[in-house]
Amino acid sequence: MYTASSSVSAPPRPQHRIVPAGTGPYLAPAPQAVRPRRWTGGTGTGTQPISGRIDLSGPQGAQLKRAIASVHRICPEFNPVQVLRRSGRSVLIVGTTGRTTAVAKCLLDHSPAWVERFQHEIASYRSFVRHRPPVRAPRLIAADPENCTLVIERMPGRAAALSRHPVEAPPRADVRAALGAIARLNAWRPPAGTFDAPLDYGTRIARYHELGLFTDRDRDDLQKLLHGLAHAGGRQGMGQFCHGDALLSNILLSPTGPVLVDWEHAGWYLPGYDLATLWTVLADAPLARRQISQLAQQAGPASRDAFLVNLMIVLTREIRTYETAVQRTMKEAPPAGSVPVPTGALAPGEEQRLLLRRLHDDCAMARRAVRAAVGTR
């Protein structure tokens, strides 16, 4: 949620990287070669200086005026100061409410899917007023589910990573703090009926199979694991409360401890969903991946199987997202040779393609782990 629009670059990395044994999702003994990537993706930030002015001119200015008006209807004392992030779907505005620094989030795209997601986020923050989670989260100031407007406290701290897929391995201390916060959250048991289950696993697997993202064997193997998990404890018995979007860019690190933001996917999942998300984005941190794999499997075969189901779904979602991004980039890119590419720079779309290649490699690794797990049942 606290993401900015600038990008972060990193120096070129070696052409080949060897993954230490045991870093795969199934603690595979054989090392896996992983191709290089240099993806900058979207970027994020925690606390930024409150300064500048808001441009209300032109068509976008008119849209921004409507957003600010919707904020003032629920929080009249909100004083807008700076646009933190703007996309085609939403806008984030930093401002003040009395002596408190706040962030207002307004939905611009009111299609049903985005409205549902936004309303889920508001419901999460309202639930936190009555039932505080074991991790720090922004305090709710005001909300309007009907008009999709949310005002929350702005939390201090820096993001654990500045992009969805960090281009460099984060410091071990940062990863350790993030994993600790996620572990505390996953162990939380809020009262029944407070949160729902945002992900229907059977429906999602069938959908990815229809789209050609899962093979027949993928579908059958995942369904076998789900069937075994149902017998192991049922959907409710195997449930775990998860953030649902546990990216490092959604974890702010402050002197008083980690802060989790962007709760629009929070709810009950199979165990290991948050760990699967972290494993997916930490390709350049093999030691962290090994630790995540060990955490995901320490409770036994059922925990391992749930983690692998989550991992296949998360990796496939990322592949689908970045395949769409590559296609869009190629359509918008100028003809080859019409624009000179600086020496050492990547051609348009190349960063996404490198990331996509890595995601396919990771998915193949997870697929082998799933088949091995099915073979042990």
Side-chain angles (χ1 to χ4, degrees):
M1 181 169 169
Y2 297 115
T3 50
S5 58
S6 60
S7 62
V8 178
S9 60
R13 294 202 286 278
Q15 290 298 312
H16 296 281
R17 174 166 56 86
I18 302 299
V19 177
T23 60
Y26 197 62
L27 297 182
Q32 300 288 335
V34 180
R35 292 184 175 89
R37 66 182 178 88
R38 190 168 69 87
W39 166 245
T40 57
T43 62
T45 183
T47 302
Q48 292 179 338
I50 303 293
S51 61
R53 66 183 185 86
I54 296 181
D55 185 5
L56 299 178
S57 61
Q60 290 190 346
Q63 190 179 55
L64 194 56
K65 285 180 182 179
R66 291 192 295 270
I68 294 174
S70 68
V71 174
H72 283 158
R73 280 195 293 270
I74 61 173
C75 189
E77 66 274 20
F78 182 80
N79 177 36
V81 177
Q82 178 184 354
V83 175
L84 184 60
R85 187 193 69 189
R86 184 176 193 153
S87 68
R89 298 190 180 99
S90 63
V91 59
L92 269 64
I93 306 169
V94 180
T96 58
T97 56
R99 295 183 179 182
T100 302
T101 305
V103 174
K105 181 177 181 180
C106 303
L107 191 66
L108 301 178
D109 180 357
H110 285 263
S111 57
W114 290 106
V115 168
E116 181 181 2
R117 182 180 298 183
F118 200 100
Q119 291 175 345
H120 183 90
E121 183 175 11
I122 290 176
S124 296
Y125 281 112
R126 284 181 167 175
S127 297
F128 293 159
V129 174
R130 300 184 300 273
H131 310 288
R132 294 299 299 174
V135 296
R136 296 184 66 204
R139 178 179 60 88
L140 175 67
I141 297 176
D144 181 358
E146 183 177 352
N147 291 315
C148 294
T149 304
L150 173 66
V151 183
I152 58 174
E153 166 189 24
R154 193 185 194 210
M155 304 296 288
R158 59 177 178 83
L162 296 179
S163 62
R164 187 179 186 89
H165 293 265
V167 297
E168 292 180 339
R172 292 184 184 180
D174 291 358
V175 175
R176 185 165 55 250
L179 284 175
I182 292 301
R184 291 193 298 275
L185 180 67
N186 293 160
W188 186 43
R189 307 293 292 188
T194 307
F195 294 89
D196 58 11
L199 175 60
D200 186 316
Y201 284 88
T203 300
R204 182 65 60 86
I205 291 170
R207 181 184 178 190
Y208 283 169
H209 177 258
E210 292 174 358
L211 294 172
L213 299 170
F214 283 161
T215 65
D216 290 347
R217 183 169 179 179
D218 291 337
R219 177 199 59 193
D220 295 343
D221 286 347
L222 292 173
Q223 287 177 345
K224 288 177 182 177
L225 292 184
L226 285 178
H227 183 72
L229 290 170
H231 280 281
R235 179 167 183 168
Q236 183 176 1
M238 283 297 296
Q240 182 184 72
F241 185 81
C242 293
H243 178 274
D245 197 21
L247 304 169
L248 291 176
S249 54
N250 284 335
I251 301 175
L252 304 181
L253 302 177
S254 72
T256 55
V259 181
L260 272 63
V261 298
D262 252 359
W263 293 88
E264 59 189 21
H265 300 284
W268 295 98
Y269 293 80
L270 288 177
Y273 188 87
D274 285 342
L275 292 179
T277 301
L278 284 173
W279 192 96
T280 296
V281 301
L282 283 172
D284 285 326
L287 294 179
R289 276 191 164 185
R290 176 187 298 174
Q291 182 180 2
I292 290 170
S293 296
Q294 292 171 343
L295 289 173
Q297 301 177 77
Q298 65 183 3
S303 176
R304 173 205 65 191
D305 293 351
F307 172 69
L308 291 175
V309 171
N310 286 321
L311 191 60
M312 281 292 291
I313 288 177
V314 171
L315 283 167
T316 304
R317 179 200 65 200
E318 294 295 292
I319 288 173
R320 186 184 181 199
T321 298
Y322 287 101
E323 281 181 342
T324 302
V326 168
Q327 294 171 0
R328 182 170 60 249
T329 300
M330 296 308 296
K331 288 181 180 179
E332 297 173 353
S338 61
V339 177
V341 178
T343 303
L346 297 177
E350 186 63 19
E351 293 174 342
Q352 294 99 321
R353 284 192 291 270
L354 290 174
L355 172 59
L356 193 55
R357 184 185 305 169
R358 193 271 295 169
L359 289 170
H360 277 290
D361 289 343
D362 285 346
C363 195
M365 186 193 306
R367 181 176 288 110
R368 291 192 296 270
V370 167
R371 292 178 179 177
V374 170
T376 63
R377 299 200 66 82

mmCIF file with all atom_site columns, all heavy atoms in Angstrom, residues 49-55 68 78-84 92-97 101-102:
data_model
loop_
_atom_site.group_PDB
_atom_site.id
_atom_site.type_symbol
_atom_site.label_atom_id
_atom_site.label_alt_id
_atom_site.label_comp_id
_atom_site.label_asym_id
_atom_site.label_entity_id
_atom_site.label_seq_id
_atom_site.pdbx_PDB_ins_code
_atom_site.Cartn_x
_atom_site.Cartn_y
_atom_site.Cartn_z
_atom_site.occupancy
_atom_site.B_iso_or_equiv
_atom_site.pdbx_formal_charge
_atom_site.auth_seq_id
_atom_site.auth_comp_id
_atom_site.auth_asym_id
_atom_site.auth_atom_id
_atom_site.pdbx_PDB_model_num
ATOM 1   N N   . PRO A 1 49  ? 9.271   12.003 3.500   1.00 0.00 ? 49  PRO A N   1
ATOM 2   C CA  . PRO A 1 49  ? 9.003   13.341 4.019   1.00 0.00 ? 49  PRO A CA  1
ATOM 3   C C   . PRO A 1 49  ? 7.661   13.866 3.518   1.00 0.00 ? 49  PRO A C   1
ATOM 4   O O   . PRO A 1 49  ? 7.297   13.655 2.365   1.00 0.00 ? 49  PRO A O   1
ATOM 5   C CB  . PRO A 1 49  ? 10.171  14.175 3.474   1.00 0.00 ? 49  PRO A CB  1
ATOM 6   C CG  . PRO A 1 49  ? 11.235  13.176 3.149   1.00 0.00 ? 49  PRO A CG  1
ATOM 7   C CD  . PRO A 1 49  ? 10.516  11.941 2.728   1.00 0.00 ? 49  PRO A CD  1
ATOM 8   N N   . ILE A 1 50  ? 6.920   14.525 4.374   1.00 0.00 ? 50  ILE A N   1
ATOM 9   C CA  . ILE A 1 50  ? 5.647   15.135 3.984   1.00 0.00 ? 50  ILE A CA  1
ATOM 10  C C   . ILE A 1 50  ? 5.940   16.521 3.429   1.00 0.00 ? 50  ILE A C   1
ATOM 11  O O   . ILE A 1 50  ? 6.236   17.455 4.164   1.00 0.00 ? 50  ILE A O   1
ATOM 12  C CB  . ILE A 1 50  ? 4.696   15.236 5.184   1.00 0.00 ? 50  ILE A CB  1
ATOM 13  C CG1 . ILE A 1 50  ? 4.467   13.854 5.781   1.00 0.00 ? 50  ILE A CG1 1
ATOM 14  C CG2 . ILE A 1 50  ? 3.396   15.865 4.786   1.00 0.00 ? 50  ILE A CG2 1
ATOM 15  C CD1 . ILE A 1 50  ? 3.721   12.923 4.903   1.00 0.00 ? 50  ILE A CD1 1
ATOM 16  N N   . SER A 1 51  ? 5.915   16.634 2.141   1.00 0.00 ? 51  SER A N   1
ATOM 17  C CA  . SER A 1 51  ? 6.212   17.929 1.527   1.00 0.00 ? 51  SER A CA  1
ATOM 18  C C   . SER A 1 51  ? 5.622   17.931 0.125   1.00 0.00 ? 51  SER A C   1
ATOM 19  O O   . SER A 1 51  ? 5.120   16.932 -0.365  1.00 0.00 ? 51  SER A O   1
ATOM 20  C CB  . SER A 1 51  ? 7.724   18.168 1.464   1.00 0.00 ? 51  SER A CB  1
ATOM 21  O OG  . SER A 1 51  ? 8.350   17.178 0.674   1.00 0.00 ? 51  SER A OG  1
ATOM 22  N N   . GLY A 1 52  ? 5.707   19.088 -0.528  1.00 0.00 ? 52  GLY A N   1
ATOM 23  C CA  . GLY A 1 52  ? 5.223   19.208 -1.891  1.00 0.00 ? 52  GLY A CA  1
ATOM 24  C C   . GLY A 1 52  ? 3.789   19.709 -1.926  1.00 0.00 ? 52  GLY A C   1
ATOM 25  O O   . GLY A 1 52  ? 3.209   20.104 -0.919  1.00 0.00 ? 52  GLY A O   1
ATOM 26  N N   . ARG A 1 53  ? 3.210   19.665 -3.117  1.00 0.00 ? 53  ARG A N   1
ATOM 27  C CA  . ARG A 1 53  ? 1.837   20.131 -3.269  1.00 0.00 ? 53  ARG A CA  1
ATOM 28  C C   . ARG A 1 53  ? 1.083   19.165 -4.165  1.00 0.00 ? 53  ARG A C   1
ATOM 29  O O   . ARG A 1 53  ? 1.678   18.350 -4.884  1.00 0.00 ? 53  ARG A O   1
ATOM 30  C CB  . ARG A 1 53  ? 1.808   21.538 -3.886  1.00 0.00 ? 53  ARG A CB  1
ATOM 31  C CG  . ARG A 1 53  ? 2.309   21.593 -5.321  1.00 0.00 ? 53  ARG A CG  1
ATOM 32  C CD  . ARG A 1 53  ? 2.334   23.018 -5.850  1.00 0.00 ? 53  ARG A CD  1
ATOM 33  N NE  . ARG A 1 53  ? 2.700   23.066 -7.254  1.00 0.00 ? 53  ARG A NE  1
ATOM 34  C CZ  . ARG A 1 53  ? 1.843   22.935 -8.249  1.00 0.00 ? 53  ARG A CZ  1
ATOM 35  N NH1 . ARG A 1 53  ? 0.555   22.744 -7.992  1.00 0.00 ? 53  ARG A NH1 1
ATOM 36  N NH2 . ARG A 1 53  ? 2.240   23.004 -9.507  1.00 0.00 ? 53  ARG A NH2 1
ATOM 37  N N   . ILE A 1 54  ? -0.213  19.254 -4.118  1.00 0.00 ? 54  ILE A N   1
ATOM 38  C CA  . ILE A 1 54  ? -1.064  18.380 -4.921  1.00 0.00 ? 54  ILE A CA  1
ATOM 39  C C   . ILE A 1 54  ? -1.545  19.148 -6.134  1.00 0.00 ? 54  ILE A C   1
ATOM 40  O O   . ILE A 1 54  ? -2.126  20.233 -6.015  1.00 0.00 ? 54  ILE A O   1
ATOM 41  C CB  . ILE A 1 54  ? -2.256  17.885 -4.083  1.00 0.00 ? 54  ILE A CB  1
ATOM 42  C CG1 . ILE A 1 54  ? -1.745  17.016 -2.939  1.00 0.00 ? 54  ILE A CG1 1
ATOM 43  C CG2 . ILE A 1 54  ? -3.224  17.104 -4.949  1.00 0.00 ? 54  ILE A CG2 1
ATOM 44  C CD1 . ILE A 1 54  ? -2.839  16.460 -2.063  1.00 0.00 ? 54  ILE A CD1 1
ATOM 45  N N   . ASP A 1 55  ? -1.296  18.619 -7.309  1.00 0.00 ? 55  ASP A N   1
ATOM 46  C CA  . ASP A 1 55  ? -1.702  19.249 -8.559  1.00 0.00 ? 55  ASP A CA  1
ATOM 47  C C   . ASP A 1 55  ? -3.144  18.850 -8.867  1.00 0.00 ? 55  ASP A C   1
ATOM 48  O O   . ASP A 1 55  ? -3.433  17.680 -9.127  1.00 0.00 ? 55  ASP A O   1
ATOM 49  C CB  . ASP A 1 55  ? -0.759  18.806 -9.682  1.00 0.00 ? 55  ASP A CB  1
ATOM 50  C CG  . ASP A 1 55  ? -1.062  19.526 -10.997 1.00 0.00 ? 55  ASP A CG  1
ATOM 51  O OD1 . ASP A 1 55  ? -1.933  20.428 -10.993 1.00 0.00 ? 55  ASP A OD1 1
ATOM 52  O OD2 . ASP A 1 55  ? -0.440  19.176 -12.020 1.00 0.00 ? 55  ASP A OD2 1
ATOM 53  N N   . ILE A 1 68  ? -10.485 13.453 -2.940  1.00 0.00 ? 68  ILE A N   1
ATOM 54  C CA  . ILE A 1 68  ? -10.319 14.225 -1.707  1.00 0.00 ? 68  ILE A CA  1
ATOM 55  C C   . ILE A 1 68  ? -11.680 14.560 -1.092  1.00 0.00 ? 68  ILE A C   1
ATOM 56  O O   . ILE A 1 68  ? -11.855 14.528 0.136   1.00 0.00 ? 68  ILE A O   1
ATOM 57  C CB  . ILE A 1 68  ? -9.508  15.501 -1.980  1.00 0.00 ? 68  ILE A CB  1
ATOM 58  C CG1 . ILE A 1 68  ? -8.068  15.132 -2.391  1.00 0.00 ? 68  ILE A CG1 1
ATOM 59  C CG2 . ILE A 1 68  ? -9.498  16.412 -0.761  1.00 0.00 ? 68  ILE A CG2 1
ATOM 60  C CD1 . ILE A 1 68  ? -7.228  16.312 -2.814  1.00 0.00 ? 68  ILE A CD1 1
ATOM 61  N N   . PHE A 1 78  ? -9.158  15.928 7.613   1.00 0.00 ? 78  PHE A N   1
ATOM 62  C CA  . PHE A 1 78  ? -8.009  15.463 6.819   1.00 0.00 ? 78  PHE A CA  1
ATOM 63  C C   . PHE A 1 78  ? -7.501  16.592 5.933   1.00 0.00 ? 78  PHE A C   1
ATOM 64  O O   . PHE A 1 78  ? -8.261  17.191 5.155   1.00 0.00 ? 78  PHE A O   1
ATOM 65  C CB  . PHE A 1 78  ? -8.410  14.275 5.951   1.00 0.00 ? 78  PHE A CB  1
ATOM 66  C CG  . PHE A 1 78  ? -7.276  13.709 5.131   1.00 0.00 ? 78  PHE A CG  1
ATOM 67  C CD1 . PHE A 1 78  ? -6.339  12.854 5.702   1.00 0.00 ? 78  PHE A CD1 1
ATOM 68  C CD2 . PHE A 1 78  ? -7.132  14.034 3.789   1.00 0.00 ? 78  PHE A CD2 1
ATOM 69  C CE1 . PHE A 1 78  ? -5.300  12.327 4.953   1.00 0.00 ? 78  PHE A CE1 1
ATOM 70  C CE2 . PHE A 1 78  ? -6.096  13.525 3.032   1.00 0.00 ? 78  PHE A CE2 1
ATOM 71  C CZ  . PHE A 1 78  ? -5.172  12.658 3.617   1.00 0.00 ? 78  PHE A CZ  1
ATOM 72  N N   . ASN A 1 79  ? -6.207  16.883 6.058   1.00 0.00 ? 79  ASN A N   1
ATOM 73  C CA  . ASN A 1 79  ? -5.574  17.929 5.252   1.00 0.00 ? 79  ASN A CA  1
ATOM 74  C C   . ASN A 1 79  ? -4.606  17.281 4.269   1.00 0.00 ? 79  ASN A C   1
ATOM 75  O O   . ASN A 1 79  ? -3.516  16.857 4.659   1.00 0.00 ? 79  ASN A O   1
ATOM 76  C CB  . ASN A 1 79  ? -4.822  18.907 6.153   1.00 0.00 ? 79  ASN A CB  1
ATOM 77  C CG  . ASN A 1 79  ? -4.093  19.974 5.352   1.00 0.00 ? 79  ASN A CG  1
ATOM 78  O OD1 . ASN A 1 79  ? -4.583  20.427 4.319   1.00 0.00 ? 79  ASN A OD1 1
ATOM 79  N ND2 . ASN A 1 79  ? -2.916  20.371 5.815   1.00 0.00 ? 79  ASN A ND2 1
ATOM 80  N N   . PRO A 1 80  ? -4.978  17.161 2.987   1.00 0.00 ? 80  PRO A N   1
ATOM 81  C CA  . PRO A 1 80  ? -4.107  16.492 2.014   1.00 0.00 ? 80  PRO A CA  1
ATOM 82  C C   . PRO A 1 80  ? -2.829  17.285 1.760   1.00 0.00 ? 80  PRO A C   1
ATOM 83  O O   . PRO A 1 80  ? -2.855  18.506 1.641   1.00 0.00 ? 80  PRO A O   1
ATOM 84  C CB  . PRO A 1 80  ? -4.972  16.413 0.754   1.00 0.00 ? 80  PRO A CB  1
ATOM 85  C CG  . PRO A 1 80  ? -5.945  17.530 0.891   1.00 0.00 ? 80  PRO A CG  1
ATOM 86  C CD  . PRO A 1 80  ? -6.207  17.680 2.361   1.00 0.00 ? 80  PRO A CD  1
ATOM 87  N N   . VAL A 1 81  ? -1.717  16.563 1.694   1.00 0.00 ? 81  VAL A N   1
ATOM 88  C CA  . VAL A 1 81  ? -0.422  17.216 1.507   1.00 0.00 ? 81  VAL A CA  1
ATOM 89  C C   . VAL A 1 81  ? 0.303   16.703 0.283   1.00 0.00 ? 81  VAL A C   1
ATOM 90  O O   . VAL A 1 81  ? 0.885   17.474 -0.472  1.00 0.00 ? 81  VAL A O   1
ATOM 91  C CB  . VAL A 1 81  ? 0.472   17.014 2.761   1.00 0.00 ? 81  VAL A CB  1
ATOM 92  C CG1 . VAL A 1 81  ? 1.852   17.629 2.547   1.00 0.00 ? 81  VAL A CG1 1
ATOM 93  C CG2 . VAL A 1 81  ? -0.184  17.604 3.991   1.00 0.00 ? 81  VAL A CG2 1
ATOM 94  N N   . GLN A 1 82  ? 0.258   15.404 0.043   1.00 0.00 ? 82  GLN A N   1
ATOM 95  C CA  . GLN A 1 82  ? 1.084   14.828 -1.012  1.00 0.00 ? 82  GLN A CA  1
ATOM 96  C C   . GLN A 1 82  ? 0.445   13.555 -1.553  1.00 0.00 ? 82  GLN A C   1
ATOM 97  O O   . GLN A 1 82  ? -0.120  12.766 -0.795  1.00 0.00 ? 82  GLN A O   1
ATOM 98  C CB  . GLN A 1 82  ? 2.475   14.501 -0.443  1.00 0.00 ? 82  GLN A CB  1
ATOM 99  C CG  . GLN A 1 82  ? 3.442   13.836 -1.407  1.00 0.00 ? 82  GLN A CG  1
ATOM 100 C CD  . GLN A 1 82  ? 4.749   13.481 -0.722  1.00 0.00 ? 82  GLN A CD  1
ATOM 101 O OE1 . GLN A 1 82  ? 4.968   13.831 0.443   1.00 0.00 ? 82  GLN A OE1 1
ATOM 102 N NE2 . GLN A 1 82  ? 5.614   12.800 -1.427  1.00 0.00 ? 82  GLN A NE2 1
ATOM 103 N N   . VAL A 1 83  ? 0.516   13.367 -2.872  1.00 0.00 ? 83  VAL A N   1
ATOM 104 C CA  . VAL A 1 83  ? 0.079   12.110 -3.484  1.00 0.00 ? 83  VAL A CA  1
ATOM 105 C C   . VAL A 1 83  ? 1.227   11.114 -3.353  1.00 0.00 ? 83  VAL A C   1
ATOM 106 O O   . VAL A 1 83  ? 2.311   11.329 -3.902  1.00 0.00 ? 83  VAL A O   1
ATOM 107 C CB  . VAL A 1 83  ? -0.317  12.293 -4.960  1.00 0.00 ? 83  VAL A CB  1
ATOM 108 C CG1 . VAL A 1 83  ? -0.643  10.946 -5.602  1.00 0.00 ? 83  VAL A CG1 1
ATOM 109 C CG2 . VAL A 1 83  ? -1.515  13.229 -5.076  1.00 0.00 ? 83  VAL A CG2 1
ATOM 110 N N   . LEU A 1 84  ? 0.991   10.058 -2.605  1.00 0.00 ? 84  LEU A N   1
ATOM 111 C CA  . LEU A 1 84  ? 2.038   9.070  -2.379  1.00 0.00 ? 84  LEU A CA  1
ATOM 112 C C   . LEU A 1 84  ? 2.139   8.102  -3.540  1.00 0.00 ? 84  LEU A C   1
ATOM 113 O O   . LEU A 1 84  ? 3.223   7.720  -3.971  1.00 0.00 ? 84  LEU A O   1
ATOM 114 C CB  . LEU A 1 84  ? 1.761   8.314  -1.081  1.00 0.00 ? 84  LEU A CB  1
ATOM 115 C CG  . LEU A 1 84  ? 2.809   7.306  -0.633  1.00 0.00 ? 84  LEU A CG  1
ATOM 116 C CD1 . LEU A 1 84  ? 4.149   7.997  -0.401  1.00 0.00 ? 84  LEU A CD1 1
ATOM 117 C CD2 . LEU A 1 84  ? 2.346   6.613  0.639   1.00 0.00 ? 84  LEU A CD2 1
ATOM 118 N N   . LEU A 1 92  ? -3.301  7.034  -3.372  1.00 0.00 ? 92  LEU A N   1
ATOM 119 C CA  . LEU A 1 92  ? -2.938  7.159  -1.970  1.00 0.00 ? 92  LEU A CA  1
ATOM 120 C C   . LEU A 1 92  ? -2.480  8.590  -1.716  1.00 0.00 ? 92  LEU A C   1
ATOM 121 O O   . LEU A 1 92  ? -1.611  9.104  -2.415  1.00 0.00 ? 92  LEU A O   1
ATOM 122 C CB  . LEU A 1 92  ? -1.814  6.189  -1.604  1.00 0.00 ? 92  LEU A CB  1
ATOM 123 C CG  . LEU A 1 92  ? -2.216  4.809  -1.086  1.00 0.00 ? 92  LEU A CG  1
ATOM 124 C CD1 . LEU A 1 92  ? -2.948  4.036  -2.170  1.00 0.00 ? 92  LEU A CD1 1
ATOM 125 C CD2 . LEU A 1 92  ? -0.988  4.033  -0.632  1.00 0.00 ? 92  LEU A CD2 1
ATOM 126 N N   . ILE A 1 93  ? -3.070  9.217  -0.722  1.00 0.00 ? 93  ILE A N   1
ATOM 127 C CA  . ILE A 1 93  ? -2.785  10.608 -0.405  1.00 0.00 ? 93  ILE A CA  1
ATOM 128 C C   . ILE A 1 93  ? -2.310  10.700 1.040   1.00 0.00 ? 93  ILE A C   1
ATOM 129 O O   . ILE A 1 93  ? -2.985  10.217 1.954   1.00 0.00 ? 93  ILE A O   1
ATOM 130 C CB  . ILE A 1 93  ? -4.030  11.493 -0.601  1.00 0.00 ? 93  ILE A CB  1
ATOM 131 C CG1 . ILE A 1 93  ? -4.593  11.314 -2.009  1.00 0.00 ? 93  ILE A CG1 1
ATOM 132 C CG2 . ILE A 1 93  ? -3.704  12.951 -0.335  1.00 0.00 ? 93  ILE A CG2 1
ATOM 133 C CD1 . ILE A 1 93  ? -5.956  11.950 -2.210  1.00 0.00 ? 93  ILE A CD1 1
ATOM 134 N N   . VAL A 1 94  ? -1.156  11.311 1.227   1.00 0.00 ? 94  VAL A N   1
ATOM 135 C CA  . VAL A 1 94  ? -0.646  11.541 2.580   1.00 0.00 ? 94  VAL A CA  1
ATOM 136 C C   . VAL A 1 94  ? -1.160  12.888 3.067   1.00 0.00 ? 94  VAL A C   1
ATOM 137 O O   . VAL A 1 94  ? -1.195  13.864 2.318   1.00 0.00 ? 94  VAL A O   1
ATOM 138 C CB  . VAL A 1 94  ? 0.890   11.534 2.594   1.00 0.00 ? 94  VAL A CB  1
ATOM 139 C CG1 . VAL A 1 94  ? 1.412   11.785 4.007   1.00 0.00 ? 94  VAL A CG1 1
ATOM 140 C CG2 . VAL A 1 94  ? 1.420   10.208 2.078   1.00 0.00 ? 94  VAL A CG2 1
ATOM 141 N N   . GLY A 1 95  ? -1.554  12.930 4.315   1.00 0.00 ? 95  GLY A N   1
ATOM 142 C CA  . GLY A 1 95  ? -2.036  14.177 4.890   1.00 0.00 ? 95  GLY A CA  1
ATOM 143 C C   . GLY A 1 95  ? -1.977  14.127 6.402   1.00 0.00 ? 95  GLY A C   1
ATOM 144 O O   . GLY A 1 95  ? -1.333  13.254 6.982   1.00 0.00 ? 95  GLY A O   1
ATOM 145 N N   . THR A 1 96  ? -2.650  15.065 7.020   1.00 0.00 ? 96  THR A N   1
ATOM 146 C CA  . THR A 1 96  ? -2.672  15.133 8.475   1.00 0.00 ? 96  THR A CA  1
ATOM 147 C C   . THR A 1 96  ? -4.106  15.200 8.960   1.00 0.00 ? 96  THR A C   1
ATOM 148 O O   . THR A 1 96  ? -4.993  15.737 8.284   1.00 0.00 ? 96  THR A O   1
ATOM 149 C CB  . THR A 1 96  ? -1.908  16.356 8.990   1.00 0.00 ? 96  THR A CB  1
ATOM 150 O OG1 . THR A 1 96  ? -2.483  17.549 8.417   1.00 0.00 ? 96  THR A OG1 1
ATOM 151 C CG2 . THR A 1 96  ? -0.441  16.281 8.598   1.00 0.00 ? 96  THR A CG2 1
ATOM 152 N N   . THR A 1 97  ? -4.324  14.637 10.143  1.00 0.00 ? 97  THR A N   1
ATOM 153 C CA  . THR A 1 97  ? -5.599  14.772 10.848  1.00 0.00 ? 97  THR A CA  1
ATOM 154 C C   . THR A 1 97  ? -5.252  15.227 12.261  1.00 0.00 ? 97  THR A C   1
ATOM 155 O O   . THR A 1 97  ? -4.897  14.413 13.100  1.00 0.00 ? 97  THR A O   1
ATOM 156 C CB  . THR A 1 97  ? -6.362  13.442 10.894  1.00 0.00 ? 97  THR A CB  1
ATOM 157 O OG1 . THR A 1 97  ? -5.529  12.448 11.499  1.00 0.00 ? 97  THR A OG1 1
ATOM 158 C CG2 . THR A 1 97  ? -6.750  12.985 9.500   1.00 0.00 ? 97  THR A CG2 1
ATOM 159 N N   . THR A 1 101 ? -0.293  11.982 11.371  1.00 0.00 ? 101 THR A N   1
ATOM 160 C CA  . THR A 1 101 ? -0.075  11.816 9.930   1.00 0.00 ? 101 THR A CA  1
ATOM 161 C C   . THR A 1 101 ? -0.887  10.622 9.464   1.00 0.00 ? 101 THR A C   1
ATOM 162 O O   . THR A 1 101 ? -0.854  9.553  10.088  1.00 0.00 ? 101 THR A O   1
ATOM 163 C CB  . THR A 1 101 ? 1.410   11.583 9.618   1.00 0.00 ? 101 THR A CB  1
ATOM 164 O OG1 . THR A 1 101 ? 2.167   12.655 10.172  1.00 0.00 ? 101 THR A OG1 1
ATOM 165 C CG2 . THR A 1 101 ? 1.639   11.538 8.118   1.00 0.00 ? 101 THR A CG2 1
ATOM 166 N N   . ALA A 1 102 ? -1.613  10.799 8.391   1.00 0.00 ? 102 ALA A N   1
ATOM 167 C CA  . ALA A 1 102 ? -2.526  9.758  7.927   1.00 0.00 ? 102 ALA A CA  1
ATOM 168 C C   . ALA A 1 102 ? -2.341  9.504  6.441   1.00 0.00 ? 102 ALA A C   1
ATOM 169 O O   . ALA A 1 102 ? -1.753  10.310 5.712   1.00 0.00 ? 102 ALA A O   1
ATOM 170 C CB  . ALA A 1 102 ? -3.974  10.158 8.219   1.00 0.00 ? 102 ALA A CB  1
#
